[in-house]
Amino acid sequence: MNGPHDLGGQHGLGPIAPEKDEPYFHAEWEKRALGITLSCGAFGAWTIDESRHARESLPPATYLAASYYEIWTRALETLLTRHGFVTQAELDDGHMHEKGREPKRVLKADMVAGVLARGGPCDRPVATPPRFGVGDRVRTKNFHPETHTRLPRYARAKVGVVEAVQGNFVFPDDNAHGKGENPQWVYTVVFDAGEIWGEGADQSLTVSIDAWESYLEHV
């Protein structure tokens, strides 16, 4: 979707200013926000792709005014209500009114280190060979779905060259909406800056993205 998260090439938002020696957290509540998000994710009720879509689906004014972990927390409220763990009334007053849905799993303190170490691998086997190879010229598709996609707006309908074949991975555009994992080949595609940004671009620069196979077509 063309949401407030997809800001590549947008004007008026100021320069990117990385914070020197930035701490992991800027406030104590951010630690708790991360912990609650991970704990609720362990329930097994939604995928990482659905959680990303919940974040990008926040109203633009809310998203752009929120800090990083505030976005996580607001999206988590959406997921918890959507899947029946809490009601909006319970979130509003901060108290449980009735027993909600029972989680499939509960992440306990002694499990955290192992769970984080294992991560959540999303590589999967596919039965077909890759359609594209290193050096192939490809064009990204031009589409504007209202649903989740990992193809950024600035890189649509652009011609680039396949730089690497990365393997097979869960297709997030489907997985975010309960349509199954449907894995595809993923490719690193490199574009000249002029192809992405047009006149006035620094021609010494390139932009690389990782693109699922269905995003691409041969040139």
Side-chain angles (χ1 to χ4, degrees):
M1 61 178 297
N2 297 335
H5 65 294
D6 194 356
L7 297 178
Q10 295 291 97
H11 292 145
L13 296 169
I16 297 174
E19 184 178 342
K20 185 178 180 180
D21 300 322
E22 182 178 11
Y24 290 119
F25 304 100
H26 290 81
E28 284 299 309
W29 72 265
E30 293 185 341
K31 299 178 183 179
R32 190 168 183 83
L34 173 60
I36 292 172
T37 300
L38 293 176
S39 297
C40 292
F43 288 175
W46 55 81
T47 65
I48 189 172
D49 298 306
E50 185 181 352
S51 68
R52 286 175 173 146
H53 184 57
R55 293 168 196 163
E56 69 196 20
S57 297
L58 293 172
T62 300
Y63 187 101
L64 294 173
S67 67
Y68 183 76
Y69 283 110
E70 185 180 352
I71 290 170
W72 278 36
T73 302
R74 289 182 178 274
L76 181 60
E77 292 176 349
T78 297
L79 293 166
L80 289 170
T81 53
R82 177 186 297 166
H83 291 277
F85 293 103
V86 298
T87 65
Q88 187 59 51
E90 289 172 328
L91 290 174
D92 290 342
D93 67 18
H95 297 283
M96 184 177 74
H97 296 170
E98 57 189 54
K99 184 175 175 59
R101 176 180 171 184
E102 197 73 27
K104 296 178 183 177
R105 298 184 297 270
V106 175
L107 183 64
K108 298 182 179 180
D110 60 354
M111 300 163 57
V112 171
V115 168
L116 293 181
R118 287 192 299 275
C122 56
D123 52 320
R124 303 288 189 273
V126 297
T128 57
R131 288 183 58 206
F132 309 101
V134 173
D136 285 357
R137 294 182 73 235
V138 293
R139 179 183 291 106
T140 54
K141 293 184 177 179
N142 186 11
F143 60 83
H144 298 273
E146 295 183 3
T147 50
H148 183 61
T149 184
R150 297 301 294 276
L151 181 61
R153 185 169 33 183
Y154 66 80
R156 297 175 192 162
K158 305 297 183 182
V159 174
V161 176
V162 174
E163 189 174 54
V165 181
Q166 297 291 2
N168 322 302
F169 296 89
V170 172
F171 186 46
D173 302 40
D174 285 348
N175 200 41
H177 302 285
K179 297 179 180 179
E181 294 188 336
N182 304 324
Q184 297 182 11
W185 288 94
V186 173
Y187 308 84
T188 298
V189 181
V190 60
F191 305 87
D192 293 334
E195 177 70 11
I196 295 292
W197 307 123
E199 294 182 14
D202 185 341
Q203 297 302 318
S204 68
L205 300 179
T206 60
V207 176
S208 296
I209 68 168
D210 286 335
W212 272 258
E213 191 166 80
S214 61
Y215 297 163
L216 305 173
E217 57 191 16
H218 280 289
V219 173

